[in-house]
Amino acid sequence: MVDTRGEVRPVWRHFLKALDRMDETDLAGRFARADRYLRDAGVFYRAYGKEAGTERAWPLSHIPVLIDEAEWEDLSRGLTQRAELLEAVVADIYGKNELVANGLLPPALVASNSEFLRPLVGVQPAGQHFLHFVSFEIGRGPDGNWWVLSDRTQAPSGAGFALENRVATTRAFSDVYAETHAHRLAGFFGAFRSTLQGNKAAEDRIAVLTPGLANETYFEHAYIARYLGFMLLEGEDLTVVGGKVMVRTVAGLKPVGVLWRRLDAAFADPLELNQNSHIGTPGIVEALRSGSVSIVNALGAGVVETRAMLAFLPNICRQLLGSDPILPSIATWWCGQKNEREHVTQNIERMVIGPAYSTRPFFDDNEQSVLGSSLRDTAKQSVAEWLTSDGAKLVGQEAVTLSTTPAWVDGKLVPRPMSLRVFAARTRDGWQIMPGGFARIGAGDNVAAIAMQEGGSAADVWIVSPKPVERTSLLPAEAEFTRNMPGSLPSRAADNLFWLGRYIERAEGALRILRAWHGRYAEYANPEQPLLKDVTDYLDALGIDTAEAVPTTLIRSIDSAVFSASNIRDRFSPDGWLALNDLSKTARRFHLSVQAGDDTTRAMTVLLRKLAGFAGLVHENMYRFTGWRFLSIGRHLERGLHMTRLLGHMSGEDAPDGALDMLLEIGDSVMTHRRRYNVATARLTVTDLLALDALNPRSILYQLNEIKNEVEQLPNAYSNGQMSPFYREAMRLHAGLAVMTPETMTDATYKRLEAEMEKLSDILAQTYLS
């Protein structure tokens, strides 16, 4: 914020004046808006090593980092040169290997590097480029000079979080942002998306390849896929057929032309790379050899991320590009060489010593890195011996002091150490640098506390121009308007949508039974009363314990729905996600607090309303395409099974008194029954309404009719003029029930119908989900 003379930099003056006009209450409200947006959008990262992969709220530092456009242009030139340099190094390592042959790169830094993938040697990537999307961790010293702290070429993360930082920060400072000529981010992503689209054949698809839900940045993978309109796939979604990468969809195998991978390269192919990988796709390397798929970035590109590589890049830059680096790396010495090892030993007080093959900057690796200035004399001797014995595995890096940026702490601005993560994308016009990125802010004065796993936070970065900037958007211009049909639905996504529908309906069914049970328990105060005992036996068979006011089984159903939804975050609306998580949190709160009887009855009503709110959001907002059909089939099938089991148990001749009235209440059909039948509740009328009335949205026949209608619209419902096995079975089930009468609906009929509906689920899986 201040220059070397202690004066406020011009780029900060407008923002600080605006901040000075805000009182504490105003600022608190602004920060709360930003935090609420991140919470509602479900932005999280996964913290490791503490509570085993716990999801943590995204730690936003509300005060943005402001950088002048002219300074950023200088940085961009340096980073563009560096991206070209890294491309040249990767191309040489997997090509002619002249850097090693000419002594510019020690052989050990390639041969001993775990990121060097020998099966990729000689494989020329489709499009002729190894690197397409890279990031750089850069830092500024107190003197205002910048260095590169580390390079990210493996599978750079953070671009999606940079977008969310921007949205959240502008929620807090919308008025200030509107007055500030800060460059927008959309143009950067639009140019990259257009480039990827130009790298594939017309019939091919583009996908983001994620390791899955357990990854620490899974949210970002889903967010980027949704933002750019790409498929989000896991390794199991893909197969290689005839050297071509194909995605398993409900309409069959479809070709994939571009994979933006977010998993480490060694895990991409268990056939030729890491044989222990369970998240890759066998045959990916062979597809690369055939040139049928472009991977962002090329497998093996992470070889240039290691710390030791920083020691050799300046000389390589001069040899390959004919000039010195515009933006220098942090000073680094590889201790596998005698002179460099002696230099590190003699200057140990000014060094950070750490693993040569680590891909993390020193402040992200404080457990394995040693700060020389913190050592006593005896410890320094031990480190010197360590350098002698294991020098090839170690590097010394100059201990640097990072410049600070303002952060809001305890009601005031305080200086905190900062590094920037900046992104570069290869476009049709060459490398383009994102005009921003995000800053990592330290939790205290310690540079090592910058890492978010150590309590650091992230801030938006505004690149400020002295004149108005272009307001870019990813939306096409009106003259370019076309209506594109949604892409193919991957089988795994269809599976999760189908089971999301089933779990939600299963939870609703349990809620309705429990509400009816507790309403009568409040009246009788005797769980051994015949009707209550009968329903308790029914719930016990389903694994639902009435001794718990809000049973654990119910919470598991809701959690299973959350898990299914979390696997399709790229296809799930933020409002729907928020509603589903709210339902889960409320159920857990009630599990610990409510008592049996009226208290639980009210709690179940609250949960039903929240569940209905989620179902309404999905019903009103979800596009009526293939994914919607699988979700709907899951809901209708589970509701049909729920009602079939209930009628089979509670509508028999031996049912206890009150069972039929309870059935109508659970089926939400009390008023309808009164209007449609001029008689008291009877077995035949209840059977007619809840099993055979095609107009009652709670009846079994209604569910089978809706399933039949949805199946008709699924891919391959007809093949060569014949019904698919799933369509045929759905038609047979519907027709068989449609000709039944209440008198013919017996216990045996319900048992057979239940078995046939379970079989229908199996046939759907065999037809579309395998």
Side-chain angles (χ1 to χ4, degrees):
M1 186 175 72
V2 296
D3 58 22
T4 53
R5 300 187 302 274
E7 297 178 1
V8 174
R9 296 177 187 271
V11 71
W12 279 93
R13 289 171 186 167
H14 174 74
F15 183 86
L16 291 179
K17 287 179 181 177
L19 206 63
D20 190 51
R21 294 194 297 267
M22 304 171 193
D23 59 26
E24 190 171 336
T25 303
D26 185 15
L27 276 172
R30 289 169 178 268
F31 296 162
R33 283 200 298 274
D35 294 338
R36 185 165 54 249
Y37 165 77
L38 292 172
R39 185 171 60 251
D40 291 352
V43 184
F44 72 89
Y45 75 104
R46 200 174 297 280
Y48 295 115
K50 302 261 170 69
E51 299 175 14
T54 303
E55 289 184 5
R56 301 277 183 88
W58 183 247
L60 178 70
S61 180
H62 300 95
I63 305 299
V65 175
L66 276 61
I67 299 177
D68 184 79
E69 180 185 63
E71 183 178 13
W72 190 256
E73 288 175 353
D74 291 338
L75 279 173
S76 296
R77 281 193 293 273
L79 295 176
T80 297
Q81 180 202 48
R82 194 173 186 90
E84 291 288 2
L85 173 62
L86 295 176
E87 168 71 28
V89 173
V90 176
D92 179 81
I93 289 173
Y94 289 99
K96 296 180 179 180
N97 203 24
E98 292 178 346
L99 292 175
V100 171
N102 295 332
L104 297 173
L105 196 59
L109 288 192
V110 177
S112 301
N113 193 328
S114 62
E115 298 301 332
F116 173 63
L117 304 180
R118 191 173 297 278
L120 275 301
V121 172
V123 177
Q124 188 68 24
Q128 310 306 307
H129 295 296
F130 289 83
L131 301 180
H132 307 264
F133 194 90
V134 298
S135 71
F136 310 94
E137 202 79 29
I138 64 175
R140 181 165 56 189
D143 60 359
N145 292 321
W146 292 88
W147 327 279
V148 176
L149 304 175
S150 69
D151 304 294
R152 288 284 178 266
T153 56
Q154 171 73 269
S157 63
F161 290 123
L163 281 168
E164 288 288 34
N165 283 345
R166 175 60 55 90
V167 177
T169 304
T170 53
R171 293 288 175 95
F173 298 108
S174 56
D175 49 348
V176 183
Y177 183 73
E179 299 167 355
T180 304
H181 304 316
H183 285 268
R184 272 50 175 178
L185 304 181
F188 171 83
F189 288 96
F192 185 53
R193 181 176 68 177
S194 297
T195 303
L196 294 186
Q197 289 170 335
N199 289 343
K200 70 176 185 68
E203 69 277 7
D204 288 347
R205 285 143 186 81
I206 303 176
V208 175
L209 181 60
T210 175
L213 186 62
N215 187 263
E216 65 175 315
T217 55
Y218 174 77
F219 167 83
E220 186 201 11
H221 307 167
Y223 179 83
I224 285 288
R226 185 168 60 237
Y227 182 71
L228 297 179
F230 298 160
M231 302 176 83
L232 181 67
L233 302 179
E234 296 182 23
E236 66 182 85
D237 295 324
L238 299 170
T239 186
V240 178
V241 180
K244 180 78 175 176
V245 178
M246 312 290 282
V247 56
R248 296 181 175 94
T249 78
V250 296
L253 297 178
K254 302 295 180 183
V256 176
V258 178
L259 282 173
W260 186 356
R261 67 175 177 90
R262 299 303 301 271
L263 76 168
D264 287 351
F267 293 94
D269 188 344
L271 193 62
E272 297 200 49
L273 302 176
N274 187 335
Q275 297 179 3
N276 297 317
S277 172
H278 296 284
I279 58 176
T281 305
I284 282 283
V285 172
E286 185 57 36
L288 284 171
R289 290 193 186 102
S290 71
S292 64
V293 65
S294 177
I295 293 188
V296 179
N297 290 320
L299 299 184
V303 69
V304 293
E305 283 193 355
T306 53
R307 285 191 209 173
M309 193 67 67
L310 296 174
F312 301 92
L313 287 180
N315 193 30
I316 292 174
C317 183
R318 285 187 285 270
Q319 294 295 322
L320 294 186
L321 303 185
S323 61
D324 288 323
I326 298 172
L327 194 61
S329 307
I330 181 175
T332 304
W333 294 266
W334 179 51
C335 297
Q337 298 167 299
K338 183 176 182 296
N339 291 340
E340 284 74 8
R341 183 168 58 251
E342 291 178 352
H343 175 82
V344 171
T345 303
Q346 294 168 5
N347 296 276
I348 199 168
E349 296 86 358
R350 298 191 291 110
M351 296 288 175
V352 176
I353 300 168
Y357 297 104
S358 172
T359 60
R360 302 164 65 186
F362 64 91
F363 51 76
D364 267 354
D365 199 23
N366 55 321
E367 290 185 0
Q368 298 186 65
S369 297
V370 176
L371 182 62
S373 60
S374 67
L375 300 175
R376 297 182 178 179
D377 290 340
T378 52
K380 289 177 183 177
Q381 181 59 38
S382 297
V383 171
E385 294 172 359
W386 181 34
L387 289 170
T388 301
S389 61
D390 291 329
K393 299 178 182 178
L394 299 169
V395 292
Q397 291 185 302
E398 185 179 7
V400 298
T401 301
L402 294 177
S403 69
T404 60
T405 192
W408 191 261
V409 179
D410 297 331
K412 60 183 179 181
L413 289 178
V414 296
R416 288 286 185 258
M418 166 203 76
S419 72
L420 293 188
R421 183 168 297 181
V422 187
F423 302 88
R426 186 183 296 280
T427 71
R428 293 188 178 100
D429 300 322
W431 287 102
Q432 184 170 328
I433 308 299
M434 180 193 290
F438 74 82
R440 298 207 284 173
I441 311 297
D445 295 333
N446 183 7
V447 172
I450 284 178
M452 283 180 288
Q453 299 280 353
E454 302 297 330
S457 56
D460 190 19
V461 178
W462 295 3
I463 308 305
V464 181
S465 172
K467 57 185 182 299
V469 297
E470 182 181 2
R471 295 177 177 268
T472 54
S473 170
L474 281 188
L475 296 175
E478 189 169 336
E480 301 173 1
F481 172 83
T482 57
R483 176 182 288 174
N484 296 316
M485 292 302 291
S488 301
L489 181 69
S491 297
R492 183 180 54 84
D495 190 25
N496 279 291
L497 285 163
F498 173 70
W499 279 101
L500 173 61
R502 291 199 65 173
Y503 287 132
I504 283 298
E505 200 59 42
R506 188 174 296 176
E508 181 179 341
L511 283 169
R512 291 187 177 279
I513 299 173
L514 289 166
R515 183 173 67 170
W517 191 94
H518 281 278
R520 283 156 180 78
Y521 177 77
E523 179 182 349
Y524 298 125
N526 177 16
E528 297 301 316
Q529 192 269 344
L531 177 58
L532 292 181
K533 183 66 170 64
D534 183 70
V535 177
T536 299
D537 292 342
Y538 174 80
L539 291 172
D540 284 343
L542 297 178
I544 300 174
D545 186 3
T546 53
E548 296 180 290
V550 179
T552 302
T553 306
L554 171 64
I555 293 176
R556 285 201 196 105
S557 291
I558 297 174
D559 286 347
S560 294
V562 172
F563 180 76
S564 292
S566 67
N567 278 291
I568 46 173
R569 285 295 300 272
D570 59 314
R571 298 173 181 271
F572 212 68
S573 77
D575 287 337
W577 177 253
L578 181 64
L580 193 56
N581 274 278
D582 182 48
L583 173 67
S584 176
K585 292 174 183 176
T586 305
R588 289 183 179 280
R589 186 173 72 250
F590 286 161
H591 176 70
L592 300 173
S593 61
V594 301
Q595 303 297 319
D598 280 338
D599 196 20
T600 298
T601 303
R602 287 191 292 271
M604 295 299 164
T605 300
V606 170
L607 291 175
L608 277 170
R609 287 173 181 165
K610 288 180 178 290
L611 195 150
F614 166 75
L617 278 170
V618 172
H619 186 274
E620 292 299 324
N621 298 332
M622 192 168 178
Y623 192 79
R624 278 7 181 213
F625 200 60
T626 310
W628 158 264
R629 305 195 193 288
F630 279 93
L631 177 68
S632 297
I633 289 170
R635 291 198 67 191
H636 292 303
L637 183 60
E638 190 67 34
R639 183 174 289 189
L641 281 165
H642 166 72
M643 190 53 67
T644 300
R645 294 184 185 119
L646 271 176
L647 284 166
H649 184 83
M650 299 179 68
S651 66
E653 298 289 348
D654 58 346
D657 289 343
L660 295 177
D661 290 316
M662 192 173 184
L663 263 174
L664 288 174
E665 181 183 332
I666 294 170
D668 200 17
S669 299
V670 174
M671 295 178 61
T672 306
H673 186 273
R674 289 173 184 167
R675 290 195 183 99
R676 294 212 59 187
Y677 305 97
N678 295 320
V679 296
T681 305
R683 188 180 72 85
L684 292 181
T685 59
V686 171
T687 301
D688 184 57
L689 182 60
L690 295 181
L692 303 176
D693 191 333
L695 299 179
N696 181 8
R698 294 282 167 181
S699 77
I700 303 170
L701 183 59
Y702 182 92
Q703 313 314 319
L704 293 179
N705 186 59
E706 291 299 304
I707 290 173
K708 177 181 70 71
N709 292 339
E710 297 296 351
V711 172
E712 289 175 350
Q713 305 300 320
L714 288 180
N716 303 324
Y718 281 95
S719 180
N720 297 322
Q722 293 185 336
M723 293 180 181
S724 70
F726 182 51
Y727 189 14
R728 186 180 298 111
E729 184 64 14
M731 288 284 287
R732 189 189 67 77
L733 259 179
H734 174 264
L737 187 62
V739 298
M740 299 290 282
T741 63
E743 293 82 2
T744 59
M745 299 295 292
T746 64
D747 288 352
T749 304
Y750 289 120
K751 285 187 175 64
R752 175 176 52 80
L753 190 58
E754 179 184 350
E756 289 175 337
M757 281 195 278
E758 291 285 14
K759 179 184 175 185
L760 188 64
S761 177
D762 294 337
I763 296 174
L764 179 142
Q766 294 165 9
T767 304
Y768 293 105
L769 309 181
S770 298

